[in-house]
Amino acid sequence: MTQEVRIAVFRPDDERIESAVELLDSLGATPIPDPMLAVEPTGATPASAADYTIFTSKTGIELAAEAGWEPGGTILVSIGPGTSAAAEAAGWTVDREPETYSSAGLVDLLQNEVDGERVEVARSDHGSQELLEGLDAANADWSETVLYKLVRPPESGESAELAAAGELEAATFTSSLTVDHFLAAADERGIREDAIAGLDEAVVGVIGEPTRETAEGHRIDVDIVPDEATFEALATTVVEAAAPSYSE
């Protein structure tokens, strides 16, 4: 890679953005850290005595663990490998993980076994309704606890400016909310259409089909959805796709 490959990364402004920057650096890219999510804990903990407890993020696991919550006898369900790794780091054993790392995957995993069971869903305030609707259809006795809120940092938006100026080679969206917040930052600056046009000239990678659907619903062309729903897989694939065009 002989020319700069600037790749926007939108992870929360904590160890996740730091590790993302380190990874992109190690891959030879120039990371543009532009956190599009900030975590505001609610102080709530998952309901006790549930037959199943579903976590849909690493952040939820970490907040519950910090608050002293323990799985006890519940069947612990994780949405994917990143969340499972956080659970294992907390000393918990994950019992179930879907083949497809999404709300639809969780519904497919549980729909035939939760009839009449108490199911606790522990997640952010932006959780998909698809999971709750699926639990309803499966006749589960579900409850939901919002462990944290996801907000957009007011200083976010450098990546939108670079995209609008044609100075961004790639972008890595890790959730639908990062797409929404990127566009909100562009709107604030009056550059939404230019930012979308800039992304059309860049390599756009997303984690998961829901994020793809959100991006494409806003007329953002998606180039990459890695098979594994992790930032490592996303970053590696995006760099591989973006680098050849800038290495001649």
Side-chain angles (χ1 to χ4, degrees):
M1 192 182 305
T2 59
Q3 295 188 29
E4 188 176 33
V5 179
R6 293 157 293 195
I7 301 181
V9 56
F10 307 120
R11 309 213 75 188
D13 192 12
D14 53 25
E15 75 279 356
R16 283 167 288 188
I17 199 83
E18 295 171 2
S19 63
V21 165
E22 290 175 3
L23 176 60
L24 288 169
D25 271 333
S26 73
L27 294 171
T30 299
I32 306 296
D34 192 9
M36 287 292 168
L37 300 174
V39 174
E40 291 185 353
T42 64
T45 55
S48 60
D51 299 305
Y52 292 75
T53 302
I54 301 172
F55 284 92
T56 62
S57 71
K58 172 179 182 288
T59 299
I61 293 279
E62 291 173 344
L63 289 174
E66 287 170 8
W69 184 86
E70 291 286 343
T74 193
I75 295 172
L76 189 64
V77 184
S78 161
I79 197 170
T83 306
S84 295
E88 291 163 4
W92 304 346
T93 298
V94 172
D95 300 296
R96 309 296 302 280
E97 182 181 293
E99 292 183 6
T100 302
Y101 309 137
S102 66
S103 292
L106 287 168
V107 172
D108 288 343
L109 175 71
L110 299 174
Q111 61 185 346
N112 295 323
E113 59 184 84
V114 293
D115 186 353
E117 300 291 307
R118 293 168 298 176
V119 180
E120 166 72 354
V121 179
R123 58 184 186 175
S124 79
D125 62 330
H126 283 82
S128 167
Q129 282 298 116
E130 184 175 12
L131 175 56
L132 303 184
E133 290 168 359
L135 292 173
D136 264 338
N139 296 314
D141 177 17
W142 63 265
S143 60
E144 180 184 26
T145 299
V146 174
L147 302 179
Y148 59 100
K149 297 179 180 180
L150 290 171
V151 299
R152 180 171 65 86
E155 67 276 10
S156 64
E158 177 190 3
S159 58
E161 295 176 2
L162 290 173
E167 297 176 357
L168 197 65
E169 280 71 61
T172 55
F173 292 101
T174 51
S175 69
S176 291
L177 200 54
T178 58
V179 176
D180 292 338
H181 285 180
F182 172 91
L183 293 173
D187 276 330
E188 278 188 352
R189 292 161 171 77
I191 57 172
R192 181 188 180 102
E193 294 305 316
D194 288 340
I196 292 174
L199 290 180
D200 286 346
E201 298 301 317
V203 174
V204 175
V206 305
I207 288 182
E209 288 302 322
T211 310
R212 180 208 285 271
E213 292 172 7
T214 299
E216 292 181 344
H218 290 297
R219 299 182 293 106
I220 297 171
D221 291 333
V222 173
D223 302 294
I224 290 168
V225 184
D227 292 335
E228 183 180 322
T230 64
F231 183 77
E232 290 76 12
L234 177 64
T236 301
T237 311
V238 166
V239 170
E240 288 174 352
S245 298
Y246 300 93
S247 59
E248 297 176 356

